Amino acid sequence: GSNIGSQKERVVTEEEWLQKWEVGNIGFHKEQRHPLLQKYLDVLLNGKSGLRIFFPLCGKAVEMKWLADMGHNVVGVEVSEQALKDFFSEHSLPYCEEPVPEISGGKMFQSTSGNISLYCCSIYDLSSSIVGKFDGVWDRGALVAVNPCDRQRYASLMINLMEKNSSYLLVTVSYDPNKHKGPPFYVPESEIKSLFGSCCEIQCLEKVDDFSEKHKQWGLDYFLEVLYMLKFVA
């Protein structure tokens, strides 16, 4: 279970992520809304409207527009400026760009309607004093992309950004970490408990077989998506 093979030492640099976007090597981007978010959206929203919802390492996730169109305020962070510009152009959304004074070189792209604000910077440059706090998080492809050595730092930041009684939908992946170096990295349930257990109730909602030809090429014989609900209790 908790053996993550040689992945513990693996580091993917910011430059490598930028390169993936530049050359279009973005197999992690999904053109369709994620079925688990569609299925468990009610769990995330909990009957409330006008929530502030955070998309860590958002890329150009199509779900951001979907939730904004429902009347929620969406905030994302992504290191690739190209990904963010692609998001707005692919959805034909007008936007403006402004510097973020607290972050050296940081920019914020905001839809003209004002309900989508995407920060272009390292996620570790964010704080609640810059972006405020959130009622909900959709984390798919974020925790599993963070370098394993940075997970504690990532979790501490996410905990700091969450309102009391907020809901955090987290998608991790499960496979044999001795057969693939990642990303996406394997994050065992024991690790989620050690990262978030002190301030959250953690529930595993569903495990889905997501095995595909790509995973076969990676040398894997199984690949699961695992969805957790983290409830930040008051």
Side-chain angles (χ1 to χ4, degrees):
S2 59
N3 171 25
I4 59 168
S6 55
Q7 292 192 352
K8 205 162 73 238
E9 313 303 325
R10 173 115 161 94
V11 170
V12 184
T13 64
E14 209 165 90
E15 286 65 38
E16 286 176 80
W17 284 112
L18 291 172
Q19 182 69 26
K20 284 175 190 285
W21 280 101
E22 268 160 42
V23 301
N25 175 17
I26 53 168
F28 48 82
H29 173 71
K30 302 261 192 267
E31 297 292 340
Q32 306 297 326
R33 294 202 291 264
H34 198 290
L36 286 173
L37 182 57
Q38 301 200 84
K39 181 170 177 181
Y40 291 97
L41 182 65
D42 294 348
V43 178
L44 180 64
L45 302 179
N46 202 11
K48 299 183 194 131
S49 54
L51 296 182
R52 296 193 79 231
I53 299 176
F54 185 45
F55 280 67
L57 314 192
C58 61
K60 54 177 185 174
V62 298
E63 296 90 353
M64 295 192 289
K65 179 168 189 301
W66 183 51
L67 285 166
D69 286 346
M70 282 179 209
H72 302 291
N73 273 296
V74 170
V75 176
V77 62
E78 166 59 51
V79 74
S80 165
E81 184 169 323
Q82 182 180 344
L84 300 180
K85 288 182 166 170
D86 285 353
F87 169 79
F88 287 108
S89 67
E90 285 169 20
H91 293 283
S92 310
L93 287 172
Y95 67 94
C96 56
E97 176 184 327
E98 48 192 71
V100 182
E102 303 93 330
I103 301 172
S104 168
K107 296 179 183 176
M108 197 254 285
F109 298 86
Q110 189 171 51
S111 62
T112 311
S113 57
N115 57 357
I116 302 177
S117 310
L118 306 181
Y119 288 79
C120 185
C121 59
S122 160
I123 189 167
Y124 305 115
D125 289 333
L126 294 186
S127 64
S128 56
S129 63
I130 299 173
V131 291
K133 294 201 174 222
F134 298 103
D135 308 302
V137 171
W138 170 243
D139 181 332
R140 182 234 146 225
L143 177 62
V144 296
V146 167
N147 292 322
C149 60
D150 291 329
R151 274 179 199 157
Q152 190 63 60
R153 186 182 179 195
Y154 175 85
S156 301
L157 171 67
M158 296 302 285
I159 290 164
N160 182 257
L161 294 178
M162 300 303 290
E163 291 280 14
K164 288 184 170 60
N165 296 318
S166 55
S167 301
Y168 182 144
L169 280 183
L170 169 66
V171 180
T172 64
V173 293
S174 179
Y175 61 83
D176 182 345
N178 296 297
K179 295 186 171 177
H180 178 61
K181 61 184 197 251
F185 297 110
Y186 166 59
V187 187
E189 184 159 347
S190 56
E191 187 149 359
I192 291 165
K193 287 179 171 156
S194 79
L195 290 171
F196 293 102
S198 61
C199 52
C200 293
E201 291 169 359
I202 300 169
Q203 186 188 358
C204 179
L205 296 178
E206 191 166 337
K207 297 185 179 184
V208 182
D209 178 8
D210 195 39
F211 189 68
S212 69
E213 190 54 46
K214 171 178 72 178
H215 302 127
K216 204 183 206 163
Q217 286 165 8
W218 290 355
L220 299 177
D221 35 30
Y222 70 95
F223 189 93
L224 303 173
E225 279 196 319
V226 186
L227 179 70
Y228 295 93
M229 170 56 120
L230 280 48
K231 273 304 254 188
F232 284 77
V233 279

